[in-house]
Amino acid sequence: MKKLIFILTMAGLISSCSDPKMEKIDSLKDECISIHDEVMPRMGEMVELSSGIKEIRIKLDSDTSDSAHLVRIALVKKVEQLDSAHEAMMVWMNDYIPDYEAEHSSDESIAFYEEQKRSITEVKDIMLKSIEDGKETLDRAK
């Protein structure tokens, strides 16, 4: 019985002695993935918006008026904005290392995941803005 009490006491002590830096790392990783998971499903929406805007631009190719030319330029910029947001997510996913802390110090890992959180937040903002602008562009074109 004394052995069982000792083992339970030790298990409780070990579990209560968690490393605050590892908790920070885990928290940052969770935040990064949460932000990613929030916007990743919208990648297809960006592709659809880009395709829709390209279709409108193609329809204007036969119109040689100055106004049609200006609209085509604006449409190309919206497609570039959507494509850039898509690429930003691809770059972030490529740069994110889910087990960075396995081969780096706690301080290096915290700095890495803080930068990753900042970066994926920026990607989120870019994606949401490009989606909003893309929808407005398609709505105006209808």
Side-chain angles (χ1 to χ4, degrees):
M1 183 68 166
K2 287 183 182 182
K3 286 183 181 181
L4 179 59
I5 292 172
F6 176 76
I7 291 171
L8 292 174
T9 302
M10 292 306 294
L13 286 174
I14 291 171
S15 68
S16 68
C17 294
S18 59
D19 180 1
K21 288 185 178 182
M22 277 309 296
E23 288 179 10
K24 176 73 171 174
I25 290 168
D26 289 342
S27 175
L28 287 166
K29 289 172 65 172
D30 288 346
E31 290 175 60
C32 287
I33 297 305
S34 177
I35 295 166
H36 165 271
D37 290 351
E38 177 185 343
V39 291
M40 183 63 187
R42 302 203 63 191
M43 294 286 281
E45 186 177 359
M46 288 192 315
V47 171
E48 288 176 17
L49 288 167
S50 180
S51 295
I53 294 169
K54 286 176 186 175
E55 287 176 19
I56 293 167
R57 187 198 52 79
I58 289 170
K59 289 177 184 176
L60 291 173
D61 280 349
S62 60
D63 188 338
T64 59
S65 68
D66 288 342
S67 61
H69 176 72
L70 293 174
V71 170
R72 279 194 303 273
I73 290 172
L75 293 174
V76 167
K77 287 182 181 180
K78 294 301 176 193
V79 168
E80 289 172 351
Q81 181 185 17
L82 287 158
D83 292 348
S84 177
H86 190 279
E87 180 64 18
M89 176 59 91
M90 294 291 116
V91 168
W92 183 84
M93 289 190 308
N94 187 57
D95 291 347
Y96 184 78
I97 304 168
D99 59 349
Y100 186 87
E101 72 280 8
E103 296 186 20
H104 297 86
S105 73
S106 295
D107 291 336
E108 290 173 319
S109 297
I110 289 170
F112 174 78
Y113 290 117
E114 284 175 341
E115 175 58 25
Q116 291 301 304
K117 181 182 170 191
R118 186 206 56 74
S119 181
I120 191 60
T121 299
E122 186 177 298
V123 168
K124 173 187 170 182
D125 293 344
I126 291 168
M127 285 179 62
L128 295 178
K129 176 74 169 128
S130 70
I131 290 169
E132 180 183 325
D133 290 352
K135 284 181 177 180
E136 287 176 13
T137 299
L138 283 178
D139 288 346
R140 276 187 267 133
K142 291 180 180 179

